[in-house]
Amino acid sequence: MVIIGENIHVIAKAVSVAIRERDAKVIQALAKAQTEAGANYIDLNVGPMKKDPEDTMQWLVNAVQEVTDLPLSIDTMNPVAMEAGLKHCKKRPLLNSASGKTDSKENMLPLAKKYNCDVVISVMTDKGMPPDVDSKIESIMDTVTHANELGIPNEDIWVDPIILPVSTAGEGQRFAVTNLEFIKILEDVLPGVKSTVGLSNVSNGVPEELRPPLNRTYLAMLGRNGLYSAIADPLDKELMSLTKGEMPKIAELIHKTMDGEDIDLSILSQKEVEYVKTARVLMGQTLYSDAWLES
Amino acid sequence: MDYKAPVEAYTGVVREVTIGKGNKSLKIGGENILPLHFFDQGSNPNPVKFALEILDMKPEDWPEHAVEPFKDVISDPVSWAKKCRGFAVDAVSLFLMSTDPAVKNAPADKAAALAREVAEAIDVPLIVYGSGDEKKDVEVLSKVAEVCDGMNLLIGPVLKENYEAVGKAILDHGHTAIAQSPLDINLLKELNVKLSKIFPPDRIVIDPLSSALGYGMEYSFSLIERVKQIGVITKDSMTMMPIIANLGGECWKTKQAKENKKQGLLWEGMTALSLLLAGANILVLRHPETLKLIKETIEAR
């Protein structure tokens, strides 16, 4: 699993202040920590970057490249900031992200061709978020075809099905299941494409201390279905060891839960029970509540 | 080729909950089929029940046509409760509105004494709703539970914010609890999970909040429907509780119900019938003629 380190994110106060004040130390510390923790890419999520996009992006990319040799994922909706970022990358970067929206097709996708980089393409279109597996497949096939016509081969495309919070009343669990299915069949409908997800969004809105179990379990489940990469927190040690196959018993329990097998919880450790309960929630087998580990 | 209608058999059973004591008791829930799916394998041993709502003070904002059936007793909750009996109710629901700090902030002692007096005066079980103020209700509902010790009233709303204190009082004095959450199935389950750690789940009734027709009823409908499906079909222990639809007050707040009587009866009646179809086990109505209308509709099949 390719892990794109998510921690340089403008929503984090320290990061946004550091970018505004050109304080490289904060950013470099995060880049170094993620590199040491085993990330494969460093994501630079700068948001829309309305002010001074070119200079800021160049500064940020250079600051990070001073302390890490990892390739970068340039994460912004602003095409000017995007181009400035891609231009200064030493390693082949990841354009994060384009979509099937007209605006993105016209302004983002051509940059992937121009800078010969990998590109994340989400299932979003002008009509919004496709609600089920079939419509997600339909939208992404359209957008990938368009990208191919621009000269971007499948092998450079990382498809993002868009993860939504599992705690969203009523619909959240259905979304989680839909994306598991989507990842499972993606390789058959678009041979050669890669895949990625913004993992942490699955636990958005959940009490802070309860987010890691959801993130870890869902990544293991998506991984089993063939997910290629995830934007995630490499500083979460348990997440990383699960991803690297260092927790085979837990992985096996998650797989059994996905297959709907009966599992005797009474003979498992508390941690194992928690993984099974979390996988059941993410499979839509039991109704989500913030007390899902307690019932 | 002969057609054979498919018959479903589910494994989940909604808990059967008893309210009241002895010959004043009533059972709700207990079904292992979806609402009105009598063609499937299973049964509903306790068809839907009806309560009428009374207030602990003279209502100030009711239209005349809602006051009319009770106009001679509207200032006396005990006589009002007794009069409900003439309309063949299965239970009476006392709303302790005057205890609300924003209304009269009436003391808990007084409310509890009234609850006891009403409970003793009627020969059907009593439901008691506090004002919904999460702090004041701790005082009021705990006192009601204590003063009515052993009478097995159905008491609520028990909320996420006060379930520990209110739940304990209800349990210690032998009553049944109404667990209320704000129109959200995940929050509803969370409250049941937490309450069940200190309270027997077979003495919990779910109040998912019932909105009136035109004012969000479809949310209440989908939620009740979903609670039943998840309980009966997927056997989720924390949604297998009967449901109370406390809808009278919501319906009579609407402009349409206040405008004229016929419209009001139909507004309350359509809301009640819809939530009944969704799976509510007991409905709290305000107008006795709505009750009559619904009973006739059910009996006419």
Side-chain angles (χ1 to χ4, degrees):
Chain A
M1 178 84 65
V2 170
I3 297 293
I4 305 164
E6 70 180 3
N7 304 56
I8 301 177
H9 195 303
V10 77
I11 286 180
K13 184 97 193 291
V15 171
S16 75
V17 171
I19 293 177
R20 193 171 61 228
E21 294 175 1
R22 298 281 197 272
D23 177 2
K25 285 197 295 297
V26 172
I27 306 284
Q28 289 175 332
L30 283 169
K32 264 201 273 191
Q34 294 183 90
T35 307
E36 282 158 17
N40 307 99
Y41 278 77
I42 303 291
D43 192 59
L44 304 180
N45 186 330
V46 297
M49 200 174 255
K50 292 200 177 98
K51 221 178 116 194
D52 233 353
E54 285 175 295
D55 287 353
T56 312
M57 206 67 208
Q58 180 180 353
W59 170 82
L60 181 63
V61 166
N62 288 336
V64 172
Q65 290 184 137
E66 274 174 31
V67 295
T68 180
D69 292 330
L70 291 180
L72 306 182
S73 154
I74 311 296
D75 194 345
T76 175
M77 294 85 88
N78 179 345
V80 177
M82 179 62 78
E83 180 154 15
L86 298 176
K87 200 185 287 178
H88 294 96
C89 286
K90 293 183 197 155
K91 291 250 169 78
R92 191 168 198 254
L94 180 62
L95 186 162
N96 186 10
S97 63
S99 74
K101 291 185 171 178
T102 306
D103 187 37
S104 182
K105 282 183 183 167
E106 287 171 0
N107 299 311
M108 281 294 187
L109 271 181
L111 293 177
K113 174 66 187 165
K114 183 173 173 189
Y115 291 92
N116 181 34
C117 60
D118 282 7
V119 55
V120 176
I121 302 181
S122 85
V123 295
M124 292 285 262
T125 68
D126 289 332
K127 282 185 266 176
M129 172 76 165
D132 53 32
V133 176
D134 288 348
S135 55
K136 281 186 185 209
I137 291 287
E138 200 183 318
S139 327
I140 199 64
M141 286 179 79
D142 278 355
T143 315
V144 167
T145 305
H146 180 81
N148 293 159
E149 283 162 6
L150 292 175
I152 304 167
N154 278 7
E155 286 67 24
D156 291 353
I157 294 171
W158 303 28
V159 170
D160 177 2
I162 308 256
I163 302 285
L164 292 168
V166 72
S167 61
T168 308
E171 293 281 50
Q173 288 180 274
R174 190 176 65 75
F175 295 145
V177 175
T178 299
N179 283 329
L180 284 167
E181 286 171 23
F182 177 90
I183 292 299
K184 198 171 182 178
I185 60 176
L186 182 64
E187 169 66 25
D188 289 336
V189 293
L190 286 168
V193 298
K194 301 180 171 75
S195 52
T196 194
V197 294
L199 181 68
S200 309
N201 207 25
V202 78
S203 61
N204 215 342
V206 174
E208 206 54 38
E209 69 280 10
L210 290 171
R211 295 187 66 174
L214 280 170
N215 297 344
R216 292 167 192 157
T217 311
Y218 199 42
L219 188 58
M221 294 167 79
L222 289 160
R224 189 203 193 196
N225 282 2
L227 184 73
Y228 174 77
S229 80
I231 305 167
D233 179 10
L235 305 182
D236 180 341
K237 287 199 177 109
E238 195 166 320
L239 179 109
M240 293 303 275
S241 40
L242 190 59
T243 312
K244 287 187 208 145
E246 292 165 6
M247 297 166 70
K249 173 120 194 264
I250 296 281
E252 192 193 333
L253 281 168
I254 293 173
H255 297 172
K256 281 185 175 168
T257 309
M258 291 173 77
D259 296 337
E261 283 185 37
D262 273 339
I263 297 168
D264 181 3
L265 296 183
S266 67
I267 55 165
L268 300 180
S269 72
Q270 195 193 331
K271 180 183 275 219
E272 289 163 349
V273 168
E274 290 187 359
Y275 271 103
V276 172
K277 284 182 173 175
T278 308
R280 283 180 179 165
V281 162
L282 290 162
M283 284 302 290
Q285 293 168 3
T286 51
L287 177 65
Y288 177 81
S289 84
D290 282 355
W292 89 93
L293 294 177
E294 299 168 42
S295 63
Chain B
M1 204 168 74
D2 286 345
Y3 171 71
K4 199 165 171 287
V7 172
E8 301 286 351
Y10 301 117
T11 49
V13 186
V14 175
R15 291 181 180 82
E16 185 171 74
V17 174
T18 304
I19 327 166
K21 268 276 158 73
N23 54 8
K24 275 194 202 183
S25 71
L26 181 66
K27 285 188 166 73
I28 56 173
E31 72 266 32
N32 60 351
I33 48 171
L34 293 175
L36 308 173
H37 285 213
F38 296 116
F39 43 81
D40 280 336
Q41 195 179 321
S43 66
N44 181 359
N46 303 303
V48 62
K49 300 290 189 289
F50 298 94
L52 282 175
E53 173 193 55
I54 67 169
L55 307 192
D56 67 341
M57 57 182 271
K58 188 179 176 193
E60 282 158 3
D61 57 347
W62 289 20
E64 202 185 318
H65 49 271
V67 173
E68 198 274 330
F70 298 109
K71 60 178 184 297
D72 51 333
V73 292
I74 203 91
S75 306
D76 173 13
V78 177
S79 308
W80 186 354
K82 283 190 198 160
K83 191 160 189 181
C84 289
R85 203 49 195 119
F87 301 109
V89 291
D90 301 303
V92 169
S93 179
L94 170 65
F95 176 30
L96 298 172
M97 186 182 184
S98 72
T99 63
D100 191 328
V103 180
K104 286 185 178 176
N105 203 17
D109 288 358
K110 196 173 151 233
L114 175 68
R116 175 152 192 131
E117 211 186 328
V118 171
E120 283 173 343
I122 54 177
D123 58 0
V124 290
L126 181 67
I127 303 166
V128 177
Y129 266 97
S131 66
D133 183 280
E134 64 188 57
K135 290 205 182 79
K136 183 71 186 284
D137 272 355
V138 172
E139 241 179 274
V140 172
L141 298 181
S142 302
K143 198 70 191 172
V144 168
E146 183 194 326
V147 170
C148 301
D149 183 75
M151 297 175 92
N152 191 19
L153 309 186
L154 179 57
I155 299 178
V158 175
L159 307 170
K160 187 179 174 182
E161 293 77 15
N162 62 19
Y163 75 94
E164 282 171 305
V166 179
K168 184 173 186 307
I170 293 175
L171 179 66
D172 287 352
H173 297 286
H175 303 289
T176 301
I178 300 170
Q180 188 187 77
S181 45
L183 276 174
D184 178 310
I185 195 154
N186 300 140
L187 295 177
L188 180 155
K189 178 171 173 178
E190 184 185 0
L191 177 58
N192 286 348
V193 170
K194 292 193 159 153
L195 184 57
S196 293
K197 290 185 182 216
I198 58 163
F199 198 92
D202 58 358
R203 279 165 59 191
I204 296 175
V205 175
I206 296 171
D207 179 350
L209 286 192
S210 295
S211 305
L213 176 65
Y215 296 81
M217 185 192 73
E218 52 278 31
Y219 290 94
S220 301
F221 187 98
S222 318
L223 181 54
I224 294 175
E225 195 181 33
R226 189 115 191 278
V227 169
K228 291 291 169 175
Q229 289 168 351
I230 287 172
V232 172
I233 301 176
T234 72
K235 215 178 165 181
D236 188 320
S237 170
M238 287 299 115
T239 67
M240 291 197 293
M241 288 88 167
I243 291 176
I244 183 166
N246 185 19
L247 60 100
E250 291 301 313
C251 291
W252 287 94
K253 257 194 243 168
T254 67
K255 177 167 83 67
Q256 291 80 357
K258 284 180 172 174
E259 259 169 21
N260 72 63
K261 180 176 168 186
K262 190 173 178 190
Q263 210 162 280
L265 295 180
L266 286 172
W267 217 264
E268 188 177 31
M270 283 311 297
T271 306
L273 265 182
S274 305
L275 299 184
L276 182 161
L277 288 170
N281 299 84
I282 181 164
L283 294 97
V284 183
L285 307 173
R286 179 169 288 179
H287 205 294
E289 286 182 54
T290 310
L291 175 58
K292 186 163 166 273
L293 185 65
I294 295 196
K295 286 198 165 176
E296 282 169 5
T297 311
I298 293 173
E299 277 150 25
R301 308 229 182 209

